[in-house]
Amino acid sequence: MKGEMLDESLGEKLGQILVSAADAAVPEIIATLRQTAPEMLAEEREMRSGFEERLAARWREPFDLFQMILTCSREFVEDFDRRHREQAADEQDFTFEVLHRLAVRACRVTSEALCLLRGGFADGAYARWRTLHELATVAFFIQRAGGDTAERFLLYEHVEEYKLAHDLQKHAPKLNEPALPDKEMQVLEARKVALTDRYGPSFAHENGWALDVLHRLAPDSKQTSFEAIERCAGIGYMRPYYKMACHQVHGTPKGAAFTLSRIGRTKVNIVGASNAGLDEPGQGACISLFQILTT
């Protein structure tokens, strides 16, 4: 027993010595890094610039076509809103409001996808296509379901806001963030309670805004999963691509093993940009953007 206590004491002291030594070395390491950083960063910028120039030359035509589609889409969304906004407001057209918001966000996400493609990050662009597919799914679902579901979708933001605030309150000390005032939390909770009183307790569940229509259109569906919404929206056939894109978002084994940027059958893991694999996320982004605009 005494030997064990002695070993434990020695181990603790050794750990303290190592930590102290590391703390003492850190300022010197940082100073060296700052001194050598300009040369290192200049070399990195030169390599990056050369890669992007070669990438732009190789993919110039599809990049230009992508930009053309995106620019036309932005102009279309702006023009459609300008021509119909006043009438939609007079008629309290919630469907118009939701679809406009989804289209605006889709244009922004598509711009992000194009930036990632131009940078040689196929997996990142594929992850942004995943978001575009979700936007297209919701747009088709809302268009099919009608105004009441669109209103629920808009109101569901208050449920999400309450859940976010509740999580912040729970983890605020660890995050070194100030907790929200009790009065603010009470207001957020009151909004959520008013909505569950109006639509039922299940409204506060994940995708609760879609539950009523899912029960009507897909009575066999027992949950408000995105997959159920996808099926009702009529684009469930995209699920294999969507699932593959999910691996580029989540920390899954498949995501760690697979990359679109791999060239041929090589097993080399890519730690940065690549000029390969840009076609699939580029096509997907344009298709999903077009789907959203058709609504």
Side-chain angles (χ1 to χ4, degrees):
M1 179 66 73
K2 288 183 178 179
E4 290 178 2
M5 292 177 62
L6 182 63
D7 290 343
E8 186 177 335
S9 176
L10 283 172
E12 186 177 336
K13 287 181 179 178
L14 180 60
Q16 292 173 351
I17 292 171
L18 289 173
V19 170
S20 298
D23 288 343
V26 165
E28 185 177 345
I29 294 172
I30 292 176
T32 302
L33 283 172
R34 288 185 178 278
Q35 187 177 0
T36 59
E39 183 180 351
M40 176 184 69
L41 295 176
E43 182 179 347
E44 180 73 19
R45 280 191 289 267
E46 185 178 355
M47 290 173 59
R48 182 74 199 168
S49 177
F51 169 78
E52 290 182 353
E53 286 179 11
R54 295 189 298 275
L55 185 74
R58 178 185 292 267
W59 290 86
R60 177 172 286 111
E61 184 177 0
F63 283 173
D64 287 349
L65 290 171
F66 193 118
Q67 183 66 67
M68 181 184 72
I69 291 170
L70 177 57
T71 301
C72 290
S73 298
R74 287 172 177 160
E75 292 175 353
F76 171 78
V77 171
E78 182 181 1
D79 181 64
F80 194 89
D81 183 66
R82 183 171 54 249
R83 288 190 288 115
H84 297 284
R85 167 65 58 183
E86 186 175 348
Q87 179 184 351
D90 291 341
E91 296 175 358
Q92 289 191 310
D93 189 341
F94 297 113
T95 301
F96 174 90
E97 181 61 28
V98 171
L99 296 179
H100 173 70
R101 291 187 187 186
L102 294 174
V104 167
R105 188 179 175 200
C107 288
R108 187 170 67 248
V109 174
T110 305
S111 297
E112 295 168 3
L114 180 55
C115 284
L116 288 163
L117 291 171
R118 283 175 168 158
F121 296 104
D123 294 331
Y126 207 28
R128 300 316 289 139
W129 167 76
R130 175 183 182 269
T131 299
L132 285 167
H133 174 67
E134 290 182 356
L135 295 175
T137 297
V138 173
F140 279 133
F141 186 87
I142 293 289
Q143 185 190 49
R144 183 179 181 187
D148 180 61
T149 302
E151 184 180 11
R152 292 180 187 223
F153 180 84
L154 293 171
L155 292 172
Y156 192 77
E157 179 188 355
H158 296 305
V159 174
E160 293 177 322
E161 192 173 14
Y162 169 77
K163 289 181 178 180
L164 284 170
H166 183 270
D167 285 344
L168 177 60
Q169 295 295 82
K170 181 179 177 181
H171 300 291
K174 282 284 187 181
L175 295 170
N176 198 27
E177 290 281 352
L180 294 173
D182 290 342
K183 188 170 289 187
E184 187 172 341
M185 283 299 300
Q186 289 168 4
V187 170
L188 294 174
E189 186 173 11
R191 289 175 182 167
K192 188 204 75 166
V193 170
L195 289 169
T196 53
D197 287 345
R198 178 178 175 181
Y199 295 119
S202 59
F203 186 77
H205 296 172
E206 184 178 3
N207 296 319
W209 59 270
L211 186 60
D212 182 65
V213 174
L214 284 174
H215 283 169
R216 181 157 38 92
L217 298 180
D220 295 335
S221 179
K222 297 180 181 179
Q223 54 184 345
T224 54
S225 66
F226 176 72
E227 185 176 0
I229 296 173
E230 198 177 40
R231 287 198 303 270
C232 286
I235 51 176
Y237 57 87
M238 295 296 290
R239 177 136 287 262
Y241 293 117
Y242 176 76
K243 290 293 290 182
M244 183 58 75
C246 286
H247 291 303
Q248 304 305 325
V249 175
H250 304 303
T252 64
K254 183 64 175 176
F258 174 78
T259 174
L260 290 169
S261 298
R262 188 171 291 163
I263 299 173
R265 296 182 178 273
T266 176
K267 295 296 184 181
V268 176
N269 286 321
I270 309 296
V271 297
S274 169
N275 62 13
L278 306 181
D279 51 337
E280 193 165 316
Q283 286 179 333
C286 290
I287 289 170
S288 292
L289 176 62
F290 180 74
Q291 289 175 327
I292 294 163
L293 295 185
T294 63
T295 65

